[in-house]
Amino acid sequence: MRSQIAAANWKMNLDFKQGKQLIEEIISQEPTPEAGKKVVFAVPALYIRSARKKVKNNPGYSVSAQNIYHKKSGAFTGEISAEMVASVGAEYVIIGHSERREYFNETNGILAEKINLALENNLTPIFCCGESLPTREAGTQNEFVAGQISESLFHLSAEQVLKIVIAYEPIWAIGTGKTATAEQAQQMHHWLRQVLAKKYGQPIADQISILYGGSVKGSNAQEIFSQPDVDGGLVGGASLVASEFVTIIRALKKSV
Ligand code: PGA
C-alpha cells in the first residue's frame, strides 16, 4: 500500500501572516484527510516551526522544507542543513526541484548527497525529476528521467529507497498552465516504477509513492490522480489558494 500525497510547494511566495492564514483555511475546510492520504506543506524554511504548530493536531498533515544544503554543517553562510530543518519540525524535504537544478546548478551528484543527509536526519525526501521540452520533443524523456533517478538514488539500499517519495515534474509543465495529459503522466510514472523495479524488485517499487507535478489544479487533479501509477501531486501555484488546494486534497484517490 502506498500513500497518496498532496504536497504544496509554496516556493518563494507569501509572507508569514499570509502563510499562517492559508494553512488555517485549508485545515478548517479539511481537518482530517482520509486514512492513507497525506498532505504536506513545503513552506519557506523560516516558517517551518510555526507551520508545524498549526498542523500538529491534524493527523495526515506534515511540514516540509523546500531545500537543504548538501553538507552536514560548517562555514556555509546563509545555508540551512538537514539537521536544522528536522530540529524545527520538518518531516519532509523537497530535493532536486527543477528550479534548484536550473538556477542553483544542482547536479545529480549533489542531490545524492542531499538525499543521504535527509535520510540521516529522518526526513522523507520528495525527490523531483523531469525532462525539459527539447528532451521531450527529441523523445528521450524516459532515458533522461531514469538517469536522474539512478544517479541520485541508486546508491541507496532497498530499505532506504522505501523512504523516498518521487515527484515527476516535466519542466515544460511547471508554472506554464500546460499540464501533461493524464496519459503522459501515467506512461512516465509506469516507466519510473519499472526502473525502480529493475533495481529493487517489484514489491519495493510498488510501495514507492510517485507524485505528478506541473500545473496541477482543482479542475484537473482528479483525472491525473486517477491514473494507476500516479499517487498524488506536488503543487505550486494552485497550492497558494485554499479552495483550490482543498479540491486537490479531496481528489486524492484511496490508497492502493
Ligand atoms: P506549478 O508548480 O504547480 O505551479 O506548475 C509545480 C512545482 O514546481 O512543484
Side-chain angles (χ1 to χ4, degrees):
M1 183 169 121
R2 45 182 194 262
S3 306
Q4 303 295 306
I5 303 172
N9 178 11
W10 289 4
K11 309 191 181 185
M12 199 173 74
N13 293 297
L14 306 178
D15 68 18
F16 186 60
K17 199 171 154 201
Q18 291 168 329
K20 281 207 292 195
Q21 280 169 352
L22 179 59
I23 293 180
E24 273 165 21
E25 258 183 80
I26 291 166
I27 285 184
S28 71
Q29 289 178 50
E30 191 66 19
T32 337
E34 285 170 46
K37 299 183 182 178
K38 295 182 178 164
V39 184
V40 178
F41 293 111
V43 303
L46 69 169
Y47 304 170
I48 290 172
R49 191 165 171 74
S50 138
R52 172 74 192 150
K53 283 189 190 152
K54 285 249 166 285
V55 305
K56 76 169 193 297
N57 295 324
N58 296 76
Y61 281 89
S62 304
V63 176
S64 174
Q66 297 179 8
N67 178 42
I68 46 171
Y69 196 55
H70 62 283
K71 301 286 178 200
K72 197 170 155 53
S73 63
F76 303 106
T77 301
E79 291 299 331
I80 297 176
S81 70
E83 190 181 355
M84 290 172 186
V85 299
S87 73
V88 288
E91 292 173 278
Y92 290 76
V93 56
I94 298 176
I95 305 255
H97 191 279
S98 62
E99 288 149 18
R100 300 237 30 118
R101 291 175 186 264
E102 184 180 347
Y103 307 138
F104 302 95
N105 303 318
E106 294 189 357
T107 60
N108 291 334
I110 288 176
L111 300 177
E113 293 181 55
K114 294 191 184 205
I115 291 281
N116 293 342
L117 286 164
L119 293 176
E120 277 168 32
N121 287 282
N122 290 320
L123 295 164
T124 300
I126 301 175
F127 178 75
C128 302
C129 55
E131 80 287 355
S132 65
L133 189 56
T135 302
R136 171 138 310 241
E137 284 171 348
T140 52
Q141 67 274 11
N142 284 11
E143 294 71 25
F144 181 83
V145 179
Q148 290 181 316
I149 299 259
S150 64
E151 288 179 31
S152 297
L153 300 183
F154 278 9
H155 62 287
L156 300 176
S157 67
E159 193 192 329
Q160 288 175 314
V161 87
L162 279 172
K163 296 182 180 147
I164 308 278
V165 171
I166 291 176
Y168 167 60
E169 299 204 304
I171 298 169
W172 46 271
I174 296 178
T176 57
K178 206 172 154 188
T179 328
T181 62
E183 197 182 16
Q184 284 172 321
Q186 169 56 23
Q187 274 168 2
M188 180 58 86
H189 286 222
H190 183 66
W191 159 250
L192 290 178
R193 214 176 291 289
Q194 283 179 312
V195 169
L196 291 164
K198 200 159 170 227
K199 170 80 180 165
Y200 294 102
Q202 196 67 49
I204 301 264
D206 283 342
Q207 288 178 68
I208 298 176
S209 298
I210 308 180
L211 316 185
Y212 168 79
S215 299
V216 173
K217 43 186 192 275
S219 58
N220 61 22
Q222 190 148 24
E223 193 193 350
I224 297 171
F225 296 172
S226 69
Q227 299 300 309
D229 285 293
V230 178
D231 306 308
L234 178 57
V235 187
S239 76
L240 302 172
V241 181
S243 58
E244 279 285 308
F245 195 59
V246 167
T247 307
I248 291 167
I249 297 171
R250 290 178 182 159
L252 290 173
K253 60 176 179 270
K254 289 200 185 304
S255 295
V256 289

